[in-house]
Structure formats: structure tokens, C-alpha cells
């Protein structure tokens, strides 16, 4: 009886990010590479438009290269990376060397009216996936200040302008009073903004932060931190929590980034 053929070795891809928001994939391949493609498939999606195919062209001996420029639309989501060599079935890629240092100091012009961010990362299974964000417009958070029982946030808008009447809304999420919205004043300086959230007015639960850059008539923009090289900030960006008294009793409150890198607040009741 003929023994089964050993599984093909995993295909490894090096990724390089550029300051414009594009990505380059270098795939190590020593096989027949005619009509080779790098394929990105959006997870949990079935529509035909949720697949992007990029030609893999010879770059050097045993290496193929595909480019995903910032001008190619990649809707928001998680995109699993595959390579199809010759006429074979697409094979899942695993990450090689990743160079994303140019993303850490990136300042998009915002002239296109949106901000596109793509960050490759390794999944729990060790495969290569690209996390994509496409925000139009976008409100980028900077450093968070934690003092005096509140949170101070500074940030910058892209793809829009700050106008008189700009303000922030805290919208009730899980566990907070349904439909509750708190409005906060915003200090503005051209494209930059700042505001403070006093914890002692908040009911227990989760609160999501939104910016209205043009006031009530304009768009509502989720605050997020996207312009760096960290695909998932939730387990890495840990902030101190403050204990304060509120009309709802003593609570412990603090900021966190969600799984989508959006900024939220958690308010937890304390035992009296």
C-alpha cells in the first residue's frame, strides 16, 4: 500500500508596510509558480466581493512578491491570506518577517475623505491575517490622561473638519441604561481636539465614545486608535482604573480599547 504523501510545507510570507498604508507580501516558494496569486478572503463573509486577488510576480530566486497599495479598497474586517501556486488549491500563508515600523509614525493626509489601515498579524493558529480598517471620516485618539477621577482624551480628525458645535457623545453600551447619551464639550485647534470625561456622573456599564465634529447636523465618528502597528490593542493597552462616588453608588471606572481598537469606558459597581 502506497503511503500517503506528506503534507506540503507551509508557505511563509514576509510583510512590509509603507507610510501610505500599503502592504507588500514576499512569499517563499520553490514550486511551479505559473499564474500565482495571493488571495485575501474576508472572514465570515460569503459575497464574491469579499475576496481580493493580487498577482504574485518573481522578485528573486525562490521568492514571489505581491503588492497591496493603499489605493486598492479593502473593506473593514479580518482578511485571511492564501497563496495559489500554478493551478493548485489556495494554501494558507503563515507569517514570516514583518516590518511595520513605518506605520508607527504615519500621519495620513485625509485628502481622500477616509483613512485606510491594514495591519498583518499572526492568528492563534499561527496563520497570516490582515486586519483592515476603513473609516470615513476618522477620529484618532492619542495619549489618554488619567487623573482626578476622570479621563482626558486628545486626538485628531481626518477626512473632515472641526466646526463650532463639535462635541463628544458617551453612548450607553452593555449594562448601561439603554439609550442613555451624555454630551461633553470639546476644545478644538484646527484638526486636533481634546475633552475630559468625569467618571462621577456615569452609571455602571459600558460606554462608547463618539465624536460629532460638526455638531448635531454632521457625521458621528467612533473614536479609535488605529494609526500604529498594533493590530489588537485590547490585551496590550491596559490602563489604571479610578474609584469614585457617583449618584449610583461607588464605582471603579477606566478606559479600554475594544476588539476593533475603538475607545470605550467600563464602569463597575463596588460593594458598599
Amino acid at each position: 500500500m502506497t503511503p500517503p504523501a506528506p503534507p506540503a510545507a507551509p508557505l511563509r510570507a514576509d510583510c512590509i508596510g509603507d507610510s501610505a498604508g500599503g502592504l507588500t507580501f514576499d512569499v517563499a516558494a520553490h514550486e511551479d509558480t505559473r499564474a500565482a496569486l495571493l488571495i485575501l478572503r474576508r472572514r465570515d463573509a460569503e459575497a464574491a466581493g469579499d475576496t481580493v486577488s493580487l498577482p504574485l510576480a518573481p522578485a528573486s530566486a525562490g521568492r514571489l512578491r505581491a503588492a497591496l497599495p493603499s489605493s486598492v479598497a479593502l473593506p473593514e474586517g479580518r482578511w485571511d491570506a492564501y497563496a495559489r501556486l500554478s493551478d493548485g488549491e489556495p494554501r494558507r500563508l503563515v507569517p514570516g518577517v514583518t516590518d511595520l515600523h513605518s506605520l508607527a509614525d504615519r500621519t495620513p493626509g485625509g485628502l481622500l475623505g477616509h483613512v485606510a489601515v491594514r495591519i498583518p498579524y499572526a492568528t492563534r493558529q499561527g496563520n497570516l491575517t490582515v486586519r483592515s480598517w476603513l473609516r470615513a471620516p476618522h477620529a484618532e485618539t492619542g495619549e489618554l490622561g488619567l487623573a482626578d477621577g476622570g479621563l482626558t482624551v486628545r486626538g485628531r480628525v481626518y477626512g473632515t473638519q472641526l466646526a463650532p458645535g463639535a462635541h463628544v457623545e458617551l453612548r450607553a453600551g452593555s449594562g448601561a441604561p439603554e439609550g442613555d447619551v451624555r454630551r461633553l464639550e470639546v476644545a478644538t485647534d484646527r484638526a486636533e481636539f481634546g475633552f475630559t470625561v468625569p467618571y462621577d456622573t456615569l452609571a455602571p456599564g459600558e460606554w462608547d465614545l463618539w465624536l460629532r465634529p460638526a455638531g448635531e447636523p454632521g457625521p458621528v465618528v467612533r473614536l479609535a486608535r488605529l494609526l500604529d502597528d498594533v493590530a489588537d490593542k485590547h490585551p496590550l493597552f491596559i490602563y489604571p482604573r479610578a474609584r469614585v462616588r457617583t449618584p449610583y453608588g461607588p464605582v471603579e471606572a477606566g478606559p479600554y480599547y475594544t476588539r476593533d481598537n475603538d475607545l470605550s469606558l467600563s464602569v463597575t459597581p463596588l460593594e458598599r
Side-chain angles (χ1 to χ4, degrees):
M1 182 177 180
T2 304
L11 293 173
R12 193 169 301 275
D14 298 338
C15 296
I16 301 175
D18 63 45
S19 59
L23 287 175
T24 299
F25 303 85
D26 279 2
V27 179
H30 299 277
E31 309 167 33
D32 186 353
T33 57
R34 290 172 295 175
L37 292 174
L38 186 138
I39 300 171
L40 298 174
R41 293 176 179 169
R42 186 156 59 160
R43 196 176 299 172
D44 302 325
E46 299 179 356
D50 291 315
T51 299
V52 173
S53 297
L54 305 169
L56 278 165
S60 60
R63 299 189 71 82
L64 301 172
R65 178 169 296 168
L68 177 66
S70 58
S71 57
V72 173
L74 196 66
E76 190 157 326
R78 298 178 188 269
W79 296 76
D80 297 329
Y82 299 79
R84 191 189 73 184
L85 306 181
S86 185
D87 295 324
E89 289 295 317
R91 290 159 57 184
R92 198 72 165 87
L93 288 170
V94 300
V97 176
T98 301
D99 181 359
L100 303 177
H101 76 275
S102 63
L103 300 183
D105 299 320
R106 183 182 173 215
T107 304
L111 297 178
L112 299 178
H114 68 259
V115 168
V117 178
R118 296 88 176 266
I119 303 179
Y121 69 97
T123 67
R124 293 179 181 177
Q125 293 75 32
N127 296 316
L128 177 62
T129 293
V130 176
R131 180 63 171 97
S132 174
W133 289 268
L134 190 63
R135 299 287 171 94
H138 172 53
E140 176 77 4
T141 62
E143 294 302 317
L144 305 182
L146 308 168
D148 300 325
L151 172 70
T152 298
V153 181
R154 296 191 178 277
R156 184 180 181 89
V157 294
Y158 296 90
T160 189
Q161 296 181 345
L162 293 166
H167 61 273
V168 162
E169 291 181 350
L170 273 67
R171 297 186 174 185
S174 174
E178 185 175 355
D180 198 356
V181 177
R182 308 292 179 89
R183 176 171 170 167
L184 299 174
E185 293 184 358
V186 172
T188 63
D189 181 8
R190 298 185 181 181
E192 297 183 353
F193 61 87
F195 62 94
T196 298
V197 182
Y199 293 151
D200 60 4
T201 64
L202 298 179
E206 309 300 312
W207 295 85
D208 301 329
L209 282 77
W210 297 78
L211 175 68
R212 283 193 177 271
E216 292 293 343
V220 57
V221 185
R222 188 74 164 92
L223 271 71
R225 184 165 178 173
L226 308 179
L227 299 177
D228 57 26
D229 58 354
V230 182
D232 186 4
K233 295 176 178 59
H234 183 72
L236 300 178
F237 286 49
I238 307 298
Y239 296 97
R241 296 172 62 80
R243 294 190 173 192
V244 298
R245 291 191 172 277
T246 76
Y248 311 93
V251 302
E252 186 179 75
Y256 68 94
Y257 284 103
T258 70
R259 195 167 174 267
D260 292 323
N261 291 353
D262 297 325
L263 181 62
S264 292
L265 296 173
S266 173
V267 181
T268 306
L270 297 173
E271 293 184 5
R272 297 175 185 254

